[in-house]
């Protein structure tokens, strides 16, 4: 970040296909952008801000947080130019985009008469998301939102408020692409089990004005802001006590099926926050709650530790499976965390496996014991801790977004080019069910949807064929889909 401060900034290493709007959005959080010059061939740009102070704030912020556009790091420094003189005929498109963005920013009015294409500044280009929380049974703090949304890029500002009896937030990224990724990944997800659902859309605002840093609003680019008269952030222990009586919004904490019961966990809010982090794949945070499940009414002729590992592995990383020696229609399954065991229980209790309706409840055991060295338990206990087939090992893996209840339609991926529809239909028909429909993804032949006649047949097919070797070093990946064909 060398060079004397200037309100013109030089931006390098831009990805090839980056747009003017994305470059302008880098500067918007810090103040008005007054000019832009794109050097497409050199992957560089010059951005002029209205004041030198705004440019200094921007450079200081991005020296602490590396800016990214389209997942690539970019570099920002002061330019030797004190202002940009741009030849308007050459730079017409950039000027039009700039005008349009400024019009949106100053007036929030629909654009008319500008020569910019609509797509350049549809609201989808805003770096600001509007977030509404439905079914808010637990307090959702500004910190929980920051923790979840930071996974997709630098969060600059958050403002939370209650409107029409609904908890809402406005959250601003440094880059509209991050806002887009976060919306795609998180819209419709539950922060906590079975409640606190995120509803996300783009805000018409392109820049948030935060006056105070407290538990209701925060500007991460300006740690110097006063705290105002906002109440101090709730201590998790107090929040837990609150949650016992009512939720913070004065709604009774209903007995949501499968939600973390505030009464069962001494520190409900802290556990809920941990579960929230686990839910959206935050590394290093384990969710509260029991990790071991008791599964009963199994078909003891058919069931194996491997088949339970595969089915329960759709909802979390199965660590150990033990089929009970004296009661072979029951098994203990240890998941990686309490949140995953909740998910598996919610989705699999009452489903049919090998012709029998299985029951899934939380076990009183804390772990599944392995048999003592040299003791043969007929292969009834298996440790899957180091299995390469865990779906949720990678924090933020796409699999976190694709957790759906068992359904007759399966999502197949990792299909090699040589395998045709007919091959897959035959393969799945051999699991004993009927293939009703099949469709390759239009854009990506490595993926397909395949529909069995019943959910039970789909469960059977998933158990039999997940990780099936299709040749050419391709192992088929199978999961439940929310779509139908």
């Amino acid at each position: 970040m060398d060079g004397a401060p200037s309100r013109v900034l030089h931006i390098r290493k831009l990805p090839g296909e980056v747009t003017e709007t994305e470059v302008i959005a880098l500067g918007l959080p810090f103040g008005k952008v007054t000019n832009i010059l794109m050097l497409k061939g050199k992957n560089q740009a010059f951005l002029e801000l209205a004041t030198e102070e705004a440019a200094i704030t921007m450079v200081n912020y991005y020296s602490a947080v590396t800016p990214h556009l389209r997942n690539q790091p970019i570099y920002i420094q002061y330019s030797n130019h004190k202002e940009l003189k741009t030849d308007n005929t050459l730079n017409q498109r950039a000027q039009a985009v700039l005008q349009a963005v400024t019009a949106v920013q100053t007036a929030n009015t629909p654009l008319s008469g500008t020569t910019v294409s609509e797509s350049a500044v549809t609201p989808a280009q805003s770096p600001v998301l509007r977030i509404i929380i439905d079914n808010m049974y637990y307090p959702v703090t500004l910190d929980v939102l920051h923790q979840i949304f930071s996974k997709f890029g630098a969060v600059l500002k958050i403002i939370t408020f209650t409107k029409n009896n609904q908890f809402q937030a406005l959250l601003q990224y440094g880059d509209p692409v991050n806002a887009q990724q976060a919306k795609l990944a998180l819209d419709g997800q539950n922060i906590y089990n079975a409640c606190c659902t995120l509803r996300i859309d783009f805000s018409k605002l392109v820049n948030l004005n935060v006056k105070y840093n407290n538990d209701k609003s925060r500007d991460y680019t300006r740690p110097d802001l006063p705290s105002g008269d906002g109440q101090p952030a709730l201590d998790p222990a107090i929040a837990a006590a609150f949650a016992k009586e009512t939720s913070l919004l004065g709604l009774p904490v209903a007995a949501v099926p499968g939600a973390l019961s505030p009464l069962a966990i001494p520190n409900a809010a802290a556990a809920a926050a941990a579960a929230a982090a686990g839910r959206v794949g935050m590394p290093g945070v384990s969710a509260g709650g029991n990790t071991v499940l008791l599964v009963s009414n199994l078909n003891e002729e058919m069931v194996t530790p491997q088949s339970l590992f595969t089915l329960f592995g759709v909802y979390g990383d199965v660590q150990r499976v033990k089929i009970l020696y004296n009661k072979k229609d029951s098994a203990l399954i240890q998941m990686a965390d309490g949140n995953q065991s909740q998910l598996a229980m919610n989705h699999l209790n009452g489903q049919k496996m090998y012709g029998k309706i299985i029951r899934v409840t939380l076990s009183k055991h804390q772990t599944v014991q392995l048999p003592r060295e040299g003791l043969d338990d007929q292969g009834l206990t298996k440790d899957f801790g180091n299995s390469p087939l865990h779906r949720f090992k990678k924090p933020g893996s796409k699999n976190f977004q694709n957790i759906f209840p068992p359904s007759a339609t399966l999502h197949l991926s990792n299909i090699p080019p040589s395998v045709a529809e007919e091959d897959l239909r035959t393969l799945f028909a051999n699991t004993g069910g009927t293939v009703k429909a099949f469709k390759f993804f239009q854009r990506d032949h490595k993926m397909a949807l395949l529909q069995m006649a019943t959910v039970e047949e789909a469960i059977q097919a998933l158990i039999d064929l997940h990780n099936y070797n299709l040749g050419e070093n391709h192992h088929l990946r199978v999961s439940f889909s929310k779509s139908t064909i």
Side-chain angles (χ1 to χ4, degrees):
M1 300 296 170
D2 38 354
S6 155
R7 66 192 184 98
V8 180
L9 299 176
H10 180 204
I11 304 171
R12 298 176 295 126
K13 296 266 170 82
L14 290 169
E17 63 287 6
V18 80
T19 65
E20 285 88 350
T21 316
E22 288 170 89
V23 176
I24 293 169
L26 287 169
L28 287 179
F30 304 95
K32 190 169 189 273
V33 175
T34 46
N35 209 341
I36 178 173
L37 173 64
M38 296 283 280
L39 306 174
K40 278 272 165 76
K42 293 186 167 169
N43 296 59
Q44 299 181 6
F46 289 96
L47 196 66
E48 179 188 278
L49 284 102
T51 64
E52 198 171 285
E53 182 199 20
I56 293 171
T57 312
M58 177 167 164
V59 167
N60 289 347
Y61 177 73
Y62 286 129
S63 60
V65 176
T66 308
H68 283 72
L69 280 181
R70 308 207 171 197
N71 290 331
Q72 283 189 36
I74 56 169
Y75 300 90
I76 299 179
Q77 65 196 62
Y78 299 116
S79 161
N80 300 332
H81 303 286
K82 287 290 171 217
E83 62 177 316
L84 274 185
K85 293 190 173 58
T86 48
D87 178 337
N88 276 359
T89 49
L90 286 175
N91 202 25
Q92 233 162 1
R93 187 194 136 81
Q95 295 304 312
V97 173
L98 189 61
Q99 265 175 341
V101 172
T102 322
V104 173
Q105 209 178 0
T106 46
N108 265 336
T109 46
L111 305 169
S112 55
T114 42
T115 52
V116 62
S117 70
E118 267 307 298
S119 67
V121 262
T122 49
Q125 294 288 353
S126 168
V128 180
L129 294 175
R130 192 181 72 149
I131 302 157
I132 295 176
I133 311 254
D134 280 343
N135 306 331
M136 182 149 154
Y137 291 109
Y138 300 107
V140 172
T141 62
L142 184 139
D143 291 324
V144 166
L145 289 174
H146 184 259
Q147 193 179 14
I148 292 168
F149 282 82
S150 292
K151 240 181 69 216
F152 297 90
V155 173
L156 306 189
K157 305 173 185 180
I158 305 179
I159 298 173
T160 63
F161 53 95
T162 303
K163 188 174 169 185
N164 311 334
N165 279 338
Q166 267 188 319
F167 179 79
Q168 303 195 15
L170 291 166
L171 182 142
Q172 179 175 341
Y173 280 105
D175 179 348
V177 173
N178 298 135
Q180 209 144 6
Q181 290 166 335
K183 178 182 185 303
L184 280 172
L186 297 174
D187 188 22
Q189 293 279 7
N190 295 334
I191 298 183
Y192 308 146
N193 275 336
C195 65
C196 298
T197 309
L198 293 165
R199 302 268 170 246
I200 304 173
D201 49 47
F202 293 100
S203 166
K204 290 193 181 63
L205 300 168
V206 256
N207 188 23
L208 299 179
N209 185 12
V210 176
K211 294 189 176 66
Y212 301 113
N213 280 344
N214 53 35
D215 66 320
K216 300 218 170 21
S217 63
R218 209 159 299 164
D219 183 336
Y220 296 91
T221 64
R222 299 201 45 205
D224 54 313
L225 288 176
S227 67
D229 45 9
Q231 284 76 40
L234 262 189
D235 178 80
I238 299 169
F242 248 101
K244 280 198 169 108
E245 313 317 322
T246 63
S247 90
L248 290 189
L249 295 190
L251 303 163
V253 174
V256 199
L260 285 158
S261 141
L263 303 166
I265 303 165
N267 194 342
R279 174 78 187 84
V280 242
M282 301 293 295
V285 185
S286 75
N290 199 336
T291 60
V292 181
L293 297 168
L294 171 65
V295 188
S296 52
N297 201 37
L298 291 163
N299 180 335
E300 53 186 273
E301 305 297 312
M302 305 284 290
V303 75
T304 62
Q306 184 67 44
S307 62
L308 290 169
F309 166 76
T310 306
L311 179 57
F312 281 74
V314 173
Y315 300 106
D317 293 338
V318 175
Q319 303 300 306
R320 293 176 178 177
V321 178
K322 182 188 201 81
I323 294 174
L324 302 185
Y325 189 76
N326 305 331
K327 201 173 178 329
K328 293 196 173 59
D329 68 347
S330 301
L332 293 173
I333 298 180
Q334 183 178 335
M335 307 296 284
D337 67 43
N339 203 49
Q340 296 182 358
S341 55
Q342 285 279 359
L343 272 175
M345 180 170 80
N346 294 353
H347 286 308
L348 294 174
N349 182 36
Q351 294 290 350
K352 254 185 169 180
M353 178 181 182
Y354 297 127
K356 299 187 76 165
I357 292 175
I358 62 171
R359 291 275 156 250
V360 185
T361 56
L362 290 174
S363 159
K364 57 182 189 301
H365 294 281
Q366 292 306 303
T367 57
V368 168
Q369 295 296 326
L370 292 175
R372 285 199 302 282
E373 278 297 315
L375 200 73
D376 173 30
D377 74 342
Q378 304 172 358
L380 295 176
T381 311
K382 203 156 175 334
D383 186 345
F384 292 98
N386 295 323
S387 166
L389 296 184
H390 288 159
R391 297 178 189 236
F392 305 100
K393 264 276 199 295
K394 281 218 300 281
S397 142
K398 270 223 172 58
N399 295 335
F400 280 98
Q401 300 148 40
N402 297 325
I403 296 176
F404 303 115
S407 62
T409 308
L410 296 168
H411 178 279
L412 316 182
S413 58
N414 206 24
I415 303 166
S418 61
V419 170
E421 172 176 341
E422 218 26 68
D423 304 324
L424 290 164
R425 279 178 173 269
T426 310
L427 187 64
F428 278 78
N430 286 342
T431 61
T434 310
V435 177
K436 300 280 278 198
F438 180 94
K439 164 170 126 205
F440 273 116
F441 277 58
Q442 260 173 332
R443 287 198 307 272
D444 188 353
H445 232 255
K446 294 202 278 286
M447 297 200 282
L449 293 177
L450 180 141
Q451 193 174 334
M452 303 297 287
T454 64
V455 176
E456 185 189 356
E457 287 181 11
I459 288 175
Q460 182 64 53
L462 181 138
I463 291 171
D464 290 351
L465 295 174
H466 178 60
N467 200 44
Y468 182 85
N469 187 351
L470 289 171
E472 301 172 44
N473 210 2
H474 282 67
H475 286 77
L476 183 64
R477 298 186 64 79
V478 186
S479 45
F480 298 113
S481 170
K482 64 170 178 196
S483 321
T484 47
I485 305 175

